[in-house]
Amino acid sequence: MNRDTLLPPGQCLSVPGCWDGFSALLIEQAGFAAAFLTGGGLSMARFGRPDMGLVSMAQVAETIAVITDRISIPLFVDADTGFGNALNVVSTVRAFERAGAAAIQLEDQTFPKRCGHMAGKGVIGLEEALGKIKAALDARDRALIIARTDALQVEGFQSALDRADAFLEAGADLIFIEGPPELSQMQAIGARYGAQVPLVHNLVEGAVTPVHDAATLAALGYRVALHPLLLLHGLGKLGPQLLARLKADGGTQAIAGDILDLKAVSALTGAPDLTAQAARYA
């Protein structure tokens, strides 16, 4: 994938999060240029568990293959910590590329990792983290490597900058300093790196950072705005409301205007195309 074609300077790409073929299809049909397979979303949506390192590399690779078989837009993938040491990172990058990942995000947390906006996380040493990024760069064939550091909340702002400097020098395609809580820090990050490399930022509902939209991020020098949990947060809010109506009413007639029906979902997921394809082989 050509980095600058997808991420032109001066613009910030909004990338919503998905966890399966249906959520990825919604993103593509909404007109977004890329989707993000979020580790937290996968853990919470598929397994009903928090984002605390409970999903395996094989489970993520299987999900990548399912999604990329269904959509044509690039898929950014959360590879967490690479699922082990530098040798595990090599295997992870190769497996994710084979499955169709266009960009692979690696972070420097200790195991078990946590959501970047949860308390209690830790980070590995800089040299070990740098080794993982170098291993990913050596292993990749075409995928972009997103180097993420969670050091800001653990070791402070200067440590996060030091790690970002090292990752950039090693050749990372994108840089991601997770969770700056102050606008002045985001301004400093943009001024330091924005002209050199695409910067990534998480826009998570209820998270710690002071910026909430892509336009503001673009003005600060950022080029990727991840919205990893928008669809999941929406489902978590609206799903219980729909179920409560069903429990109270014993049917769905009263909420028919708030949901799709079988015909609409079949059309959304491509039933007419498959029917036409089957007819060609009949």
Side-chain angles (χ1 to χ4, degrees):
M1 182 171 64
N2 185 291
R3 183 184 71 178
D4 291 329
T5 298
L6 180 65
L7 307 171
Q11 300 180 33
C12 188
L13 181 71
S14 293
V15 185
C18 60
W19 58 87
D20 60 12
F22 186 74
S23 56
L25 190 61
L26 291 177
I27 292 167
E28 182 177 55
Q29 292 186 354
F32 288 92
F36 176 52
L37 174 52
T38 154
L42 179 60
S43 182
M44 289 184 272
R46 181 175 178 182
F47 300 103
R49 299 291 185 182
D51 185 13
M52 297 178 67
L54 301 176
V55 180
S56 73
M57 186 268 277
Q59 288 166 334
V60 178
E62 175 191 25
T63 306
I64 297 168
V66 168
I67 292 173
T68 57
D69 184 59
R70 190 63 189 89
I71 64 173
S72 58
I73 58 176
L75 183 67
F76 290 45
V77 177
D78 183 0
D80 288 343
T81 62
F83 304 95
N85 61 21
L87 295 181
N88 297 110
V89 168
V90 170
S91 297
T92 296
V93 169
R94 289 175 176 170
F96 286 10
E97 272 204 333
R98 286 195 300 270
I104 300 171
Q105 175 185 297
L106 288 160
E107 63 195 47
D108 57 0
Q109 284 197 46
T110 55
F111 187 84
K113 62 92 57 186
R114 296 172 182 260
C115 167
H117 294 264
M118 290 176 64
K121 63 183 178 180
V123 292
I124 59 178
L126 172 56
E127 291 305 314
E128 183 181 358
L130 184 58
K132 286 187 173 186
I133 297 301
K134 290 179 178 178
L137 292 166
D138 287 344
R140 63 95 174 264
D141 178 39
R142 64 190 180 280
L144 301 177
I145 300 301
I146 305 170
R148 166 175 150 173
T149 178
D150 286 68
L152 194 156
Q153 294 90 346
V154 181
E155 298 181 346
F157 188 53
Q158 186 58 52
S159 175
L161 295 179
D162 292 341
R163 289 174 181 241
D165 286 343
F167 298 159
L168 180 58
E169 184 177 357
D173 299 296
L174 296 89
I175 296 294
F176 183 178
I177 298 178
E178 173 69 302
E182 300 174 12
L183 181 59
S184 61
Q185 293 174 333
M186 297 190 65
Q187 291 169 332
I189 293 168
R192 188 182 185 104
Y193 303 109
Q196 301 183 68
V197 64
L199 289 170
V200 180
H201 187 68
N202 253 342
L203 291 179
V204 183
E205 296 77 24
V208 301
T209 56
V211 173
H212 305 287
D213 63 274
T216 305
L217 284 175
L220 291 171
Y222 287 76
R223 285 158 69 180
V224 178
L226 299 177
H227 297 264
L229 298 177
L230 168 64
L231 289 176
L232 187 64
H233 285 170
L235 176 61
K237 175 72 173 181
L238 298 177
Q241 296 176 9
L242 297 175
L243 293 170
R245 292 297 301 273
L246 173 61
K247 186 175 181 181
D249 300 344
T252 60
Q253 295 90 335
I255 57 174
D258 299 321
I259 61 175
L260 298 179
D261 62 14
L262 176 60
K263 182 178 180 180
V265 172
S266 295
L268 188 155
T269 52
D273 291 338
L274 281 182
T275 301
Q277 182 180 357
R280 289 200 302 271
Y281 301 123

